[in-house]
Amino acid sequence: MPMCGIAAILEKSDHRSVQKPWLKAMQYRLRHRGPDGAGWHVEPGVGLAMTRLAIVGGTLGQQPIWNERHTLALVCNGEIYNYQGLRTHLEGQGHQFSTDSDVEVLVHLYEQYGEAGLARVRGIYAFVLWDRVARKAWVVRDGVGVKPLYYAETEQELVVASEVRSLLKHPGIGLEWSAQDLQVYHALRFVPGHGTVLKDVRKLPPGYSLTLQGGLVTLTRLDVARMFSWRQQTVGGDRRLLLRQLLFQGVKRQLAPGVQSGVLLSGGLDSTLLLALQTHYQGVAPDTYTVSFVQPWNRPSRLEYDERAEAAQVAARYGSQHVTARFTAEEVWQHLPHIIADLDEPIADPTAIPLWLVARLAGRQGCRVIYSGEGLDELFGGYDVYRQVKWHRWLQRLPAQSRLRLAAILRHLQWPGAGVLSRSVQPVWEWYQGVGGAFLTEEMKRLWADTSPVQLANVFSVQSLFRSLLGETSKQSRLGQMMQLDISAWLPENTLMKSDKLSMAHGVELRVPFLDEDLVSFALSAKDSERLHGRLGKWLVRQAVADMLPGDVLTRRKAGFTVPLSAWLFGEWHERVRDILLHHSALARELYNHQELEFWLNVPYGQRRRAARLLWVLLTLEWWTASVISEKSRGDASWGTRSTKIETVSAARWNLPIDPPGI
């Protein structure tokens, strides 16, 4: 089970030699993902590298892994759940295995069946496979998108890596903005699909592959992406019983026996269920970890930022060794530059703060694997934002023109309700920005400075991206469409990307058992009534496990590791945030309208929750940009001379983490 970082330089010409120092620098930048070992291979036309976090076995997973004839080589970050059955089958076909690594089956499956062999695989993976005979490189990311993979295409090469920071060690990859994706980031707080905020750096979407052969690079949607095709059929039988079996199966498949592991525990439904199932299989409860925050000085009476009591009750019920840590606003502030740098690309989700802190806590306790209940909210409608569809259903009893006229009256009177009335008439893709929605279109128009890359470029509307993401689901219910946008965008490129990067930053692997492929496939066949029931989401999940969990956990509203972001941004951190965003050397001075920044920094109390979300988008981009400039400037001084390129920012000013000298 090799969890690691991978990198590759793939030449478009077979006769061109890979620059070994570039590959080694890329590999070295991934060392936090694999502190237990490293491997690499270079030959004309190809260079493969990896760093390894040893979950099972000493050198059994050393990569690259080869087939018997040394004609196929593989570097892979992932885990194949059904590898034992596949291995038995392949050995029956005459294949000889040289390691005990689960991912070796990928090499022999390709040798036996070609690319079609991937359809037999159940697991999570991001890999590069080199076929010496065909002179072909095949780059693949799993259908759920649990493991990240980035790439950049230069005139002479295809460059691939598990992280953006690794790609940027290649001198041919620059720091020019992608104006289109910069706009998307401000709308969603992250960038879904193929893009990143950097023009040269692309993401391989879940369930896609890249092929380099004969100097041509081809992007292909694989059959494994079918799991994200919205299911029309109804799964028969007792659906509660079937879901229960799939929940058990997902947890069992991802157990790591013999390895110190733990569960991230908030005391809510998802993490409690995960703890209960792990305890069932292991006979003893795993360790559990919780972080919380000291009450902000301007919110002394509010308790939503501290779930220690709920988590402790759950931990005591199952008998786990429970480890907690509590942080002040000042302690969090000191960690922020490191947290945002470790995100690797700008993802303005404040839950990154507790996730980074709890991964560090677990890692310092000796944990190699931590488990999270991520996925059930996206798959079964757990987010509060989905409840608005109940209002839409009621309002749609009225004629559309009547709703629009009433919305206009309410807007003129400045009374609440105009928004929900208007949205009940519009298609989902015109108004829904997903769980992570940030700046609205009109707000962005006011935000951009006249000379910003977005203002200078003729970019498409964010709504056109949403419409393309909906695809075949556009005829589903409103709830179905909203959830599909979040499953295809928010889940892989925010939730899973953030989870992978921040856990691996501490040499810890984070696993998500509730995103097992069979469970995902089942969830996409669910009816709206199985997702939402009154004010409770994940209704079918609650029914399926009702006899396993305490009643107060089953009826508790979603919480998670809550973050007092607005209290910090308009309290303890306010003057420092203002100084950063309005400083003369800030990126914000190039991108944003100064008056609009002043507006959001000084909103009345009633608007601060939303303002905090928007300011976090700006602050995350500011700090992230400074971090990549800090890294890139140590190896490449050929950027920063045009208006669409990122200008130099003083990294030292923001107390940024410094990467050790390259190789």
Side-chain angles (χ1 to χ4, degrees), residues 29-320:
R29 193 58 189 86
L30 295 169
R31 66 201 178 280
H32 58 282
R33 298 184 67 92
D36 298 322
W40 62 297
H41 170 78
V42 172
E43 64 180 70
V46 63
L48 304 174
M50 60 84 69
T51 60
R52 179 171 181 260
L53 173 65
I55 302 300
V56 176
T59 60
L60 296 178
Q62 196 65 30
Q63 299 181 28
I65 292 176
W66 295 84
N67 65 338
E68 307 94 324
R69 297 180 296 141
H70 254 57
T71 57
L72 300 172
L74 174 84
V75 287
C76 177
N77 173 26
E79 180 182 359
I80 309 304
Y81 305 138
N82 61 335
Y83 80 96
Q84 291 175 324
L86 292 173
R87 178 168 180 150
T88 299
H89 168 73
L90 290 163
E91 287 176 333
Q93 299 292 317
H95 292 269
Q96 297 177 3
F97 283 69
S98 59
T99 77
D100 289 334
S101 171
D102 54 309
V103 302
E104 188 178 350
V105 298
L106 295 173
V107 176
H108 298 288
L109 278 172
Y110 180 86
E111 188 176 25
Q112 183 72 28
Y113 300 108
E115 294 181 5
L118 192 63
R120 299 170 178 257
V121 173
R122 292 291 178 269
I124 54 177
Y125 46 81
F127 66 78
V128 179
L129 187 145
W130 170 244
D131 185 337
R132 269 180 169 171
V133 176
R135 309 303 296 172
K136 167 186 166 183
W138 193 37
V139 183
V140 180
R141 186 180 179 198
D142 69 74
V144 180
V146 176
K147 296 300 173 185
L149 205 55
Y150 297 88
Y151 68 95
E153 187 176 356
T154 70
E155 186 176 341
Q156 297 174 318
E157 296 164 324
L158 175 65
V159 188
V160 181
S162 295
E163 295 194 4
V164 174
R165 292 179 291 187
S166 177
L167 277 185
L168 292 177
K169 291 301 180 183
H170 189 291
I173 300 170
L175 293 181
E176 187 173 346
W177 290 123
S178 166
Q180 173 177 303
D181 292 314
L182 200 60
Q183 182 190 21
V184 171
Y185 165 76
H186 284 79
L188 301 183
R189 298 193 288 172
F190 68 101
V191 180
H194 303 264
T196 74
V197 296
L198 297 179
K199 185 177 180 180
D200 287 354
V201 177
R202 315 305 289 166
K203 279 196 295 274
L204 189 61
Y208 276 75
S209 74
L210 286 171
T211 302
L212 172 59
Q213 189 173 32
L216 298 177
V217 177
T218 306
L219 179 69
T220 305
R221 188 173 188 258
L222 300 170
D223 286 344
V224 293
R226 68 190 182 282
M227 71 177 63
F228 281 105
S229 298
W230 206 261
R231 303 304 172 94
Q232 300 285 342
Q233 76 273 19
T234 300
V235 179
D238 187 333
R239 291 177 59 79
R240 290 173 299 179
L241 178 59
L242 180 53
L243 174 56
R244 185 185 179 102
Q245 292 170 342
L246 291 172
L247 290 166
F248 272 83
Q249 173 184 278
V251 171
K252 185 178 181 180
R253 280 178 170 176
Q254 295 199 30
L255 291 174
V259 178
Q260 185 174 342
S261 61
V263 170
L264 306 187
L265 185 63
S266 69
L269 171 63
D270 303 352
S271 62
T272 303
L273 176 59
L274 182 55
L275 176 59
L277 293 176
Q278 286 222 349
T279 304
H280 167 80
Y281 278 114
Q282 298 181 162
V284 61
D287 296 345
T288 50
Y289 299 92
T290 299
V291 296
S292 62
F293 304 105
V294 173
Q295 293 303 115
W297 61 263
N298 59 350
R299 302 276 182 87
S301 62
R302 299 183 64 170
L303 301 177
E304 73 259 38
Y305 312 124
D306 191 342
E307 295 183 312
R308 288 179 300 167
E310 292 87 348
Q313 289 173 3
V314 171
R317 177 185 177 90
Y318 291 97
S320 72

Side-chain angles (χ1 to χ4, degrees), residues 508-525:
V508 178
E509 182 207 341
L510 186 145
R511 296 188 179 184
V512 281
F514 296 148
L515 287 172
D516 180 83
E517 291 176 64
D518 293 334
L519 184 52
V520 171
S521 183
F522 174 87
L524 295 183
S525 71

